[in-house]
Amino acid sequence: MTGVTHSKVDGLIRRAGLRYPTADLRRIDLVEERGLDRGVIAQLATCSFIERSHNVVFQGFTGSGKSYLGCALAKQACLHRIRAHYIRMPDLAEAWHLARDKPQGQMKFLRKYAAFTLLVVDEWLLDPPDESMRSMLLELLERRYDTTSTVFCTQYAKKDWHQRLGGGVHADAIMDRIVHNTIWIDTGNHNMREHTATK
């Protein structure tokens, strides 16, 4: 990488707000033991899914490395000079509630989060969203649909999402904008926090 390119990439990584800034798809531990497919991980590393505006879901037990994988994918996007951003769903909810009290706050919020070419939402559906949050998620995912890529890191299986989203038409509409053109990856039940602690 040239100095200018390196500087741009560093800036993208810094602004992405990664929970694990050193995360790296090439350094994922226990790939086979966790049931991860090396071929799928290698394919994700090319970021071709972003060119196709596909989504990714990392689903698995607490401590199974979902957040790390989400950050590693966002960092890989930055290395490809793609604008990425990482946020936990509780922080997204807080930012949305703060935005509602500001002039044009909601529109600015939606424009900001719709603009990231890759958006990683960690702790997806950890807390069931309220009605205002569901309306925001529908509008945000509608704006991102078929033009950008979103990564969801969650401990909930797809069958539980509808209920976590409150059921009804909002849940139907949100699910409809996620489940198509999505790569689903089970991160298993191997506790990577324990593994890392004993290394």
Side-chain angles (χ1 to χ4, degrees), residues 106-156:
Q106 294 183 338
M107 292 306 295
K108 287 177 182 173
F109 173 98
L110 288 166
R111 273 202 301 273
K112 174 183 175 178
Y113 287 100
F116 295 112
T117 311
L118 179 70
L119 178 64
V120 178
V121 182
D122 196 3
E123 299 178 10
W124 171 247
L125 301 181
L126 181 66
D127 298 309
D130 61 18
E131 189 174 346
S132 169
M133 186 75 174
R134 286 197 297 271
S135 297
M136 180 279 287
L137 288 171
L138 177 55
E139 180 60 29
L140 178 61
L141 292 168
E142 170 61 30
R143 290 179 182 218
R144 296 184 59 78
Y145 184 72
D146 232 13
T147 57
T148 57
S149 296
T150 309
V151 176
F152 302 89
C153 306
T154 182
Q155 58 184 303
Y156 292 99

Side-chain angles (χ1 to χ4, degrees), residues 2 29 31 41 49 51 69 88-89 92 101 107 113 115 118 135 137 141 147 167 180 185 187:
T2 66
D29 291 343
V31 173
I41 299 296
F49 75 96
E51 292 167 23
L69 285 162
R88 296 167 57 248
M89 192 163 174
L92 189 70
D101 297 330
M107 292 306 295
Y113 287 100
L118 179 70
S135 297
L137 288 171
L141 292 168
T147 57
H180 307 296
I185 297 172
T187 58

